Amino acid sequence: MRRKNIAFLTSGIMDYLSSDAWNGIKNAARNDDVNLITVPLKYIARDLTGLPDRYEYQYEITASFLKKESIDGLIVAADYIGCLTTRKVLEDFIRSLDDIPIVILASRVKGYPGVTFDNVSGIKEALSYLIEKKKIKRIGMLGGPDSNSDAYERKMAYEECLREHGIEKKDTWFVAGDLTERVTKEAAKLLDQAPELQAVFCVNDSTAIGLYDVMRKRGLEPGSDICIFGFDNLVSGAMMNPSLSTIDANTTELAAYAYQLLMRKLSGEEVGEEKLPTRFICRDSFGNASDAVDRGGDQLISKLFLDHYFDQVFYRYRNHELEDGSKLRLRFVEVMSELIDNTRKYSVDDASVRRLTDNIKSFLKNGALDYTDYDELIPYMQRIHSEITKSFTDNMRKNRASEVLATLYKYIIKIQNNRNVKYEEHLDHILYSMKTLVRDSLNFSYANDLSYIELVSHLDWMDIKNAYVYIFEKPIVRLQQEPVDTSVPIRLKATLKNGVPESVPFNRQPVSCEELFNNAEMSDEKAELVMMPLYFGDTVYGLILHDLTEMTFRNGEFLTNQLGTAARMIEVLRVNNEVQKQLEDNIAVMRQHNIELDKLSRNDVLTGILNRRGFNETAEEIIAENKKSGRNTLISYVDMNNLKIINDRFGHEEGDFSLQTISSILMDIIGDEGIVGRIGGDEYAFVYSGLLQGKEIVKRINTTFEEFNSSSPKPYNISVSCGFCLIKAAEKDMTLEEAMSIADRDLYIAKQSKDNRIIKIRAVAK
């Protein structure tokens, strides 16, 4: 019986939320015999207009290969992947996975069990602090779409809290954004329509980052001119200046609970919707964060509250803490207990002070600073110092306490400086490794199965020891929101096993969808993997399954883009090899049948019209004759639209048919008043000496193609784009080459508005 495969569907692999959620799932599953597979889908049905990678929708293809025969359960971060689409599209997508048991993470979807944050308590705590402690009454919200369940609940909590404090919310105080940092228009709108605002609640930390940028461009300072708080407690928020106040919604704990909920469901237990609590974290975006926490001195120097303060100051340790006990927590309790005991002694000798200082240094040196928030740690140290000195009556003991605190501050700075140096060295190593990957992964001189080894031979810098390269026998050309044919044959071309790259023998390459996560080359050990698409533009060449490491969360998308480019290079070389072989075979056949060489050198074999050489020679003769006769000559550069998609989708025979059709239509239109030539793969040119203008010819060409497409039984449309140059009789010096160059530039402009209606509607419906 195979090991259970549990998949986690999330957004981008480099998102903080995805990383935190993964840590929670991994921690929760550490004692279970399961494989964990993360599947980043980006953002389903996203409007990609204006984005650098308008083909990132190809990430969605991976979900099509999750089958009930291979995946035992799914954790779906619904609002992560669906935050930029409608609720209906998101729910339809989740229902398409219905054969697999599902638990929803951080969202509510009707009919599915799941776990969400309490979107009320933490928000009300933050708003109450603003209203009651800082006496702020004019509070706005930069929210999200109501289709996002979390965004809607947070909006409701915001409005309810204002009502409870007797504050009448104005309609201008709320603007909805897209839940990302790119909320510049929405943030500007909020500031424009409500300049009286004293504070803004941002639906999440990412939105707050966008608001910071907009405010600074207007000369406004977060924390001074307007108080700001977010939700999620991202590390990036704590690192901002001023540090961002937020609601600590521990994604790691939430994801761990989602995993436990899924395992309970798989064991046959009835499970439903559940909530986890949140808490308010006050930082400098509310002013002075050191004034935020009002704790009694008796609690600060009481051993009974040490666990509480550890959770407050070192709260990120929850993301990594193991069930068998927390060494860091125990060390903290020991050190603080010793500190508290020293405050109660009448006299403290130098040895005790040195021992205490050394113990605190040891605590910090053992990684405590990796899990703290400096805006929590420093105020806590200051309050501890204040309470301890209050308990002393003599100046000597107060001075010793101050010396201990000063020593700790210096040591914290030293540790942080060392970390910065190591981080810079690490960045240098990463940049060098990236350059090596780019160089070596594209260094192909041929294309065969051995070429795919290069895709897994340079992954050690990503700490990846195991990887599996799956290539489709025929690349999938996929437009956005098109379904995927998962019956396409798949081959396992190369593997990386314990750091050793290998090519898979041809007879062992075929795999089914059900075998993607349990292929015969995999080891019997538990695996933690991520599945990414290998794509370039509108074409997907395959999938890669590899170890999910910490480095993947930092550079995973760069790796995927590079490997996708490499897969494309291999395919291009493979096709080029086939074309070269076919060309050689054709030449041999031509020689066998004594094909007339002059005709071969001047005419295109596929279409029968002039080739580049024949066109150039004849065109120059016509231009020269027209100049002598005082006639103008119209030169046109013509390019077929979307030949690649027709070739990939319907086969090269249909592509050849399209090229022949274009030749025939152009010849009919130009007739005896000029010549037509095929000067490249999908490029044509014609010389026209008749009375029609360029616009009239374009109209006739477009009309002819529309008539042909409407009557053609083919499932695709054929169309062309045209560029023109008019050689006037008086322009004695203009050459054909110059005219073609001008027509080419005009063609480039025409291509910007080319006809992209490739597939006929009836073909898609079929």
Side-chain angles (χ1 to χ4, degrees):
M1 183 176 179
R2 68 167 176 81
R3 181 181 292 113
K4 280 188 172 64
N5 290 322
I6 304 299
F8 170 45
L9 269 63
T10 186
S11 52
I13 193 64
M14 295 173 64
D15 294 348
Y16 283 115
L17 291 173
S18 295
S19 175
D20 289 345
W22 163 253
N23 280 326
I25 294 170
K26 181 176 67 173
N27 289 343
R30 61 183 173 270
N31 294 325
D32 294 342
D33 188 28
V34 297
N35 293 325
L36 300 177
I37 300 107
T38 293
V39 183
L41 304 181
K42 286 289 191 173
Y43 309 98
I44 59 174
R46 180 186 192 181
D47 181 3
L48 299 169
T49 304
L51 294 184
D53 184 3
R54 57 194 179 96
Y55 298 102
E56 75 167 27
Y57 65 83
Q58 301 293 14
Y59 276 85
E60 299 172 19
I61 198 173
T62 52
S64 302
F65 292 93
L66 301 178
K67 304 294 183 181
K68 63 181 180 180
E69 293 82 7
S70 59
I71 297 296
D72 298 278
L74 286 175
I75 299 171
V76 181
D79 278 354
Y80 296 9
I81 63 177
C83 64
L84 301 179
T85 189
T86 66
R87 196 69 186 174
K88 183 180 184 306
V89 169
L90 173 61
E91 291 177 354
D92 287 347
F93 169 78
I94 294 174
R95 278 193 288 271
S96 73
L97 306 167
D98 230 352
D99 286 341
I100 307 173
I102 291 174
V103 164
I104 304 298
L105 171 68
S107 182
R108 289 182 179 82
V109 178
K110 187 176 181 180
Y112 296 91
V115 56
T116 59
F117 290 120
D118 176 357
N119 282 311
V120 177
S121 58
I123 293 172
K124 286 191 173 183
E125 185 182 352
L127 290 171
S128 297
Y129 177 83
L130 287 172
I131 297 168
E132 297 169 8
K133 295 293 181 74
K134 298 187 74 70
K135 308 304 179 185
I136 288 176
K137 300 294 178 69
R138 299 188 294 275
I139 306 173
M141 180 176 178
L142 190 54
D146 286 348
S147 59
N148 182 289
S149 60
D150 277 339
Y152 178 76
E153 287 186 6
R154 292 169 195 176
K155 176 184 175 183
M156 293 298 100
Y158 156 75
E159 294 179 348
E160 182 180 341
C161 188
L162 294 188
R163 286 195 300 270
E164 290 174 353
H165 285 84
I167 299 174
E168 183 178 353
K169 181 188 79 72
K170 297 181 180 179
D171 292 340
T172 55
W173 288 4
F174 178 87
V175 174
D178 66 357
L179 305 172
T180 72
E181 296 177 19
R182 293 182 293 275
V183 290
T184 52
K185 291 182 180 178
E186 294 82 357
K189 179 180 178 181
L190 180 64
L191 297 176
D192 287 338
Q193 68 186 25
E196 72 276 12
L197 291 178
Q198 300 168 290
V200 175
F201 164 40
C202 295
V203 67
N204 57 24
D205 288 358
S206 295
T207 298
I209 293 171
L211 177 59
Y212 266 47
D213 291 340
V214 173
M215 287 181 61
R216 290 220 163 93
K217 289 176 181 177
R218 296 176 173 227
L220 299 173
E221 184 61 25
S224 299
D225 296 304
I226 299 177
C227 294
I228 299 174
F229 75 100
F231 200 108
D232 289 331
N233 192 22
L234 299 181
V235 174
S236 55
M239 299 295 289
M240 292 166 64
N241 184 24
S243 53
L244 177 65
S245 299
T246 189
I247 309 303
D248 179 25
N250 193 290
T251 303
T252 302
E253 291 182 358
L254 191 77
Y257 200 91
Y259 171 82
Q260 294 163 358
L261 206 63
L262 178 60
M263 298 309 287
R264 285 160 52 193
K265 179 180 176 67
L266 295 181
S267 68
E269 183 179 338
E270 287 288 333
V271 295
E273 294 182 355
E274 304 192 24
K275 287 186 179 181
L276 288 188
T278 57
R279 73 180 182 98
F280 166 51
I281 296 178
C282 186
R283 299 195 183 110
D284 287 338
S285 66
F286 270 20
N288 189 351
S290 62
D291 299 331
V293 182
D294 183 16
R295 304 289 186 193
D298 57 337
Q299 292 185 16
L300 279 166
I301 55 176
S302 169
K303 295 182 182 180
L304 298 175
F305 291 91
L306 291 181
D307 273 333
H308 166 78
Y309 283 110
F310 180 85
D311 288 333
Q312 176 181 317
V313 177
F314 302 98
Y315 59 86
R316 291 198 182 100
Y317 195 63
R318 290 175 297 176
N319 299 353
H320 303 272
E321 195 168 357
L322 301 178
E323 282 185 352
D324 58 355
S326 161
K327 293 181 180 179
L328 197 66
R329 179 186 294 274
L330 293 174
R331 192 74 176 131
F332 173 81
V333 172
E334 290 173 0
V335 170
M336 293 306 300
S337 296
E338 183 179 1
L339 179 63
I340 292 169
D341 288 341
N342 278 327
T343 65
R344 294 171 178 168
K345 294 179 181 178
Y346 178 73
S347 64
V348 181
D349 56 36
D350 290 340
S352 297
V353 173
R354 283 195 300 271
R355 185 173 63 252
L356 174 61
T357 303
D358 290 342
N359 287 340
I360 296 176
K361 283 183 177 180
S362 176
F363 167 71
L364 295 174
K365 187 177 180 180
N366 287 330
L369 295 182
D370 293 336
Y371 305 106
T372 190
D373 181 336
Y374 285 96
D375 284 328
E376 293 276 355
L377 176 63
I378 301 303
Y380 175 67
M381 292 172 60
Q382 291 172 335
R383 293 193 297 273
I384 283 285
H385 178 239
S386 175
E387 292 304 322
I388 289 176
T389 53
K390 283 180 186 178
S391 67
F392 296 152
T393 55
D394 61 284
N395 289 332
M396 180 179 292
R397 297 176 73 191
K398 288 183 179 181
N399 289 339
R400 283 191 171 182
S402 297
E403 289 174 6
V404 171
L405 185 65
T407 301
L408 293 181
Y409 282 140
K410 290 179 182 177
Y411 197 69
I412 288 174
I413 293 172
K414 180 180 179 181
I415 292 176
Q416 187 58 38
N417 284 338
N418 289 338
R419 290 170 65 186
N420 289 341
V421 170
K422 290 181 179 179
Y423 182 67
E424 289 178 2
E425 292 174 350
H426 179 68
L427 282 182
D428 289 341
H429 172 69
I430 294 301
L431 289 174
Y432 175 77
S433 300
M434 286 181 173
K435 291 177 183 178
T436 302
L437 175 68
V438 171
R439 181 194 67 203
D440 294 343
S441 65
L442 298 179
N443 188 24
F444 302 115
S445 57
Y446 55 86
N448 58 29
D449 284 355
L450 294 176
S451 303
Y452 292 102
I453 293 182
E454 291 298 328
L455 274 64
V456 295
S457 294
H458 307 280
L459 302 183
D460 55 322
W461 66 280
M462 292 277 288
D463 299 324
I464 295 172
K465 302 297 182 185
N466 300 282
Y468 310 92
V469 177
Y470 296 104
I471 299 297
F472 304 136
E473 284 194 359
K474 182 179 180 182
I476 297 175
V477 179
R478 178 175 176 267
L479 306 180
Q480 190 172 16
Q481 298 188 49
E482 276 194 334
V484 178
D485 180 9
T486 57
S487 65
V488 58
I490 306 173
R491 288 186 172 273
L492 177 62
K493 294 289 188 178
T495 66
L496 182 70
K497 294 187 285 189
N498 294 320
V500 179
E502 295 180 359
S503 179
V504 179
F506 188 80
N507 63 327
R508 298 213 310 262
Q509 289 182 5
V511 295
S512 63
C513 288
E514 294 76 15
E515 297 172 313
L516 287 179
F517 312 108
N518 297 92
N519 69 66
E521 304 297 323
M522 289 183 172
S523 71
D524 294 330
E525 298 179 2
K526 287 171 55 175
E528 297 171 359
L529 305 167
V530 60
M531 182 165 69
M532 307 282 266
L534 298 175
Y535 73 95
F536 187 93
D538 58 11
T539 305
V540 185
Y541 298 95
L543 307 165
I544 183 168
L545 191 67
H546 62 75
D547 292 339
L548 180 53
T549 65
E550 200 63 38
M551 288 295 295
T552 308
F553 288 109
R554 300 177 190 175
N555 302 289
E557 291 180 17
F558 164 80
L559 177 65
T560 298
N561 291 340
Q562 189 60 35
L563 297 185
T565 302
R568 175 179 181 268
M569 284 287 294
I570 295 173
E571 177 65 13
V572 168
L573 286 172
R574 185 191 66 79
V575 172
N576 183 65
N577 291 342
E578 291 183 357
V579 170
Q580 183 68 29
K581 184 177 183 301
Q582 184 178 10
L583 180 60
E584 292 172 355
D585 291 343
N586 288 342
I587 292 175
V589 170
M590 292 174 188
R591 287 172 177 167
Q592 278 183 346
H593 291 83
N594 294 316
I595 297 176
E596 198 267 318
L597 294 179
D598 184 62
K599 181 180 178 181
L600 176 64
S601 67
R602 292 174 57 86
N603 286 75
D604 178 60
V605 176
L606 176 65
T607 62
I609 64 175
L610 293 172
N611 61 17
R612 177 184 289 273
R613 177 188 170 190
F615 174 82
N616 288 345
E617 292 177 354
T618 309
E620 287 175 348
E621 294 172 0
I622 294 174
I623 293 171
E625 181 62 29
N626 284 347
K627 287 179 179 179
K628 290 181 182 179
S629 304
R631 290 197 304 268
N632 295 336
T633 309
L634 185 65
I635 305 295
S636 180
Y637 208 132
V638 183
D639 185 62
M640 178 183 174
N641 298 326
N642 308 307
L643 174 61
K644 180 179 183 300
I645 291 179
I646 293 176
N647 274 334
D648 291 343
R649 187 69 61 85
F650 303 103
H652 287 275
E653 290 183 1
E654 294 298 323
D656 290 347
F657 170 82
S658 302
L659 296 172
Q660 292 166 337
T661 300
I662 293 171
S663 301
S664 177
I665 289 176
L666 292 179
M667 287 288 289
D668 288 343
I669 292 173
I670 300 304
D672 296 330
E673 295 179 302
I675 61 168
V676 179
R678 182 184 176 210
I679 60 175
D682 56 355
E683 298 174 344
Y684 297 79
F686 63 77
V687 175
Y688 177 74
S689 303
L691 300 177
L692 294 177
Q693 301 296 316
K695 291 182 179 179
E696 295 172 312
I697 292 180
V698 168
K699 184 176 180 180
R700 182 173 294 184
I701 289 172
N702 291 339
T703 300
T704 305
F705 276 105
E706 287 174 2
E707 291 173 353
F708 172 83
N709 288 327
S710 64
S711 61
S712 169
K714 300 293 184 181
Y716 53 83
N717 292 314
I718 301 174
S719 64
V720 298
S721 299
C722 305
F724 293 89
C725 175
L726 181 65
I727 303 177
K728 295 182 179 179
E731 295 176 323
K732 301 294 185 181
D733 295 330
M734 180 173 285
T735 65
L736 173 64
E737 182 179 0
E738 291 170 342
M740 289 294 288
S741 178
I742 294 172
D744 189 24
R745 290 198 294 271
D746 190 49
L747 172 63
Y748 176 81
I749 297 172
K751 291 286 282 187
Q752 305 308 306
S753 56
K754 70 178 182 179
D755 190 350
N756 279 323
R757 296 171 299 171
I758 310 162
I759 311 302
K760 293 182 179 179
I761 295 176
R762 64 175 180 271
V764 175
K766 184 178 178 181

